[in-house]
């Protein structure tokens, strides 16, 4: 029963996240389905062992207890070793990771793709791009506005801390739309909350320091459909921006090319150019330890190398 349940959970997780297979291996215990499957196999082996071997040890009570315990310990340690080895790591590459033909880099123990698919061409009221060093100076606020903003940021932080790793994001319906990109992290979106309404407690995107199941939350991104720049956080310092003309995969709905990719190049990669003029985004670096030196609403987080 556990094996069947594990296979069902694994199939469900893969259906919700088509790129999951590229980030996990045979023994990725961060996947609940894998854990249930392994536990089911362990119970079958233990049951067979007890049925075949224990009757022969009937005259030796100590061995009847010690033998199953030893078997469980051996199986547990073997599974843990396999999950920590290359068998527990993903080996496939998604389309988004092969766009720039660059190697994956490792930082803080997490595998990062160094693709630059979403670094260029971000349009805002100030017309700047990710990576060009643009930093906005915060404007002054009166005390009531400051208090309102503080309350909003506390709610945003709680929303982030409720999804500490990619695993929790996937379980809550978020799926990867942009792999790891330096300065902005990996983006996971929950499409069901993209409704054009600003809700500080339900961010449309979660930002992580990698794409593994245990990759850590670093910030949030609010993503609204609006003809004009949305009204979001209290005060004048949440600078919203747009991505106009990204290349989106028709199969996985992930970003596979920057705004600079032509329509023909995008089609050759299996994607379509996205208009994006009505979709606005603002980052919020509200996770403790990931405060951006450029400001809580900065377009980039320089510590994400």
């Amino acid at each position: 029963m556990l094996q069947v349940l594990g296979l069902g959970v694994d199939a469900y997780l893969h259906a919700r996240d088509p790129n999951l297979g590229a980030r996990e291996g045979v023994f990725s215990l961060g996947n609940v389905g894998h854990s249930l499957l392994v536990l089911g196999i362990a119970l079958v082996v233990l049951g067979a062992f007890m049925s075949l071997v224990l009757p022969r040890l009937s005259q030796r009570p100590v061995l009847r207890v010690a033998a199953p315990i030893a078997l469980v310990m051996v199986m547990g340690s073997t599974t843990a070793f396999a999950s920590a080895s290359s068998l527990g790591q993903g080996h496939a590459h998604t389309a988004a990771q092969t766009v720039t033909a660059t190697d994956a880099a490792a930082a803080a123990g997490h595998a990062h793709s160094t693709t630059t698919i979403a670094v260029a061409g971000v349009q805002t009221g100030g017309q700047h791009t990710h990576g060009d060093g643009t930093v906005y100076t915060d404007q002054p606020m009166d005390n009531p506005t400051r208090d309102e903003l503080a309350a909003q940021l506390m709610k945003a932080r709680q929303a982030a801390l409720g999804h500490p790793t990619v695993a929790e994001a996937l379980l809550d319906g978020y799926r990867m739309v942009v792999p790891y990109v330096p300065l902005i992290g990996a983006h996971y979106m929950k499409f069901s909350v993209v409704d054009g309404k600003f809700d500080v407690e339900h961010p449309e995107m979660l930002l992580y320091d990698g794409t593994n199941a245990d990759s850590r939350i670093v910030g949030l991104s609010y993503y609204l459909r609006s003809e004009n720049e949305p009204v979001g956080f209290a005060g004048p310092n949440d600078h919203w921006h747009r991505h106009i003309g990204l290349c989106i995969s028709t199969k996985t709905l992930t970003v596979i090319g920057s705004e600079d990719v032509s329509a023909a190049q995008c089609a050759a990669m299996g994607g379509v150019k996205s208009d994006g003029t009505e979709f606005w985004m603002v980052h919020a670096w509200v996770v403790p330890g990931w405060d951006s030196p450029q400001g809580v609403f900065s377009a980039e987080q320089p510590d994400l190398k």
Side-chain angles (χ1 to χ4, degrees):
M1 290 177 64
L2 282 173
Q3 291 183 55
V4 172
L5 180 61
L7 290 172
V9 171
D10 187 51
Y12 173 71
L13 292 176
H14 280 269
R16 294 179 64 173
D17 183 6
N19 298 300
L20 181 59
R23 306 193 304 274
E24 65 177 13
V26 178
F27 291 100
S28 299
L29 297 186
N31 181 324
V32 177
H34 286 199
S35 298
L36 291 173
L37 184 61
V38 169
L39 182 58
I41 294 173
L43 288 178
V44 171
V45 174
L46 181 61
F49 175 85
M50 295 177 68
S51 175
L52 297 174
V53 177
L54 290 191
R56 301 183 182 183
L57 303 177
S58 59
Q59 303 303 319
R60 300 180 180 181
V62 173
L63 292 180
R64 287 177 61 86
V65 176
I69 293 177
L71 178 62
V72 170
M73 291 179 65
V74 170
M75 293 182 63
S77 60
T78 302
T79 302
F81 175 78
S83 66
S85 71
S86 60
L87 290 174
Q89 307 300 321
H91 300 284
H93 298 280
T94 64
Q97 291 173 312
T98 59
V99 172
T100 58
T102 57
D103 294 331
H110 300 276
H112 292 164
S113 167
T114 54
T115 174
T116 57
I117 54 176
V119 172
V122 180
Q123 298 191 17
T124 72
Q127 296 296 313
H128 79 283
T129 61
H130 284 317
D132 68 358
T134 301
V135 178
Y136 290 99
T137 301
D138 282 353
Q139 302 300 310
M141 296 180 288
D142 56 33
N143 286 337
T145 302
R146 191 177 300 278
D147 292 341
E148 181 182 356
L149 176 60
Q152 289 177 320
L153 292 178
M154 288 295 292
K155 292 180 180 179
R157 173 173 289 184
Q158 290 303 312
L161 296 181
H163 303 82
T165 68
V166 166
E168 282 82 11
L170 296 176
L171 289 175
D172 193 26
Y174 289 85
R175 58 182 301 276
M176 188 179 72
V177 291
V178 180
Y180 183 85
V181 177
L183 302 179
I184 61 174
H187 289 46
Y188 286 75
M189 179 184 287
K190 190 172 185 178
F191 287 88
S192 62
V193 298
V194 182
D195 54 9
K197 298 178 182 178
F198 177 75
D199 184 346
V200 70
E201 297 183 89
H202 297 91
E204 287 77 13
M205 293 190 199
L206 305 174
L207 311 182
Y208 290 90
D209 67 351
T211 57
N212 293 331
D214 61 350
S215 293
R216 299 166 299 174
I217 188 80
V218 296
L220 305 174
S221 187
Y222 294 87
Y223 187 72
L224 273 64
R225 184 170 187 169
S226 175
E227 293 183 1
N228 303 307
E229 184 171 353
V231 176
F233 287 91
N237 297 315
D238 56 336
H239 306 288
W240 295 72
H241 61 265
R242 294 174 290 177
H243 293 267
I244 299 176
L246 291 174
C247 180
I248 309 297
S249 169
T250 56
K251 293 183 178 180
T252 65
L253 298 181
T254 57
V255 178
I256 58 175
S258 72
E259 292 89 338
D260 296 332
V261 172
S262 68
Q265 292 172 323
C266 181
M269 292 189 292
V272 294
K273 295 283 281 184
S274 172
D275 180 11
T277 54
E278 293 185 351
F279 289 93
W280 297 78
M281 176 189 299
V282 64
H283 295 159
W285 306 104
V286 294
V287 177
W290 286 98
D291 308 88
S292 173
Q294 298 178 359
V296 66
F297 299 118
S298 63
E300 302 163 358
Q301 170 34 292
D303 294 330
L304 292 170
K305 306 296 185 182

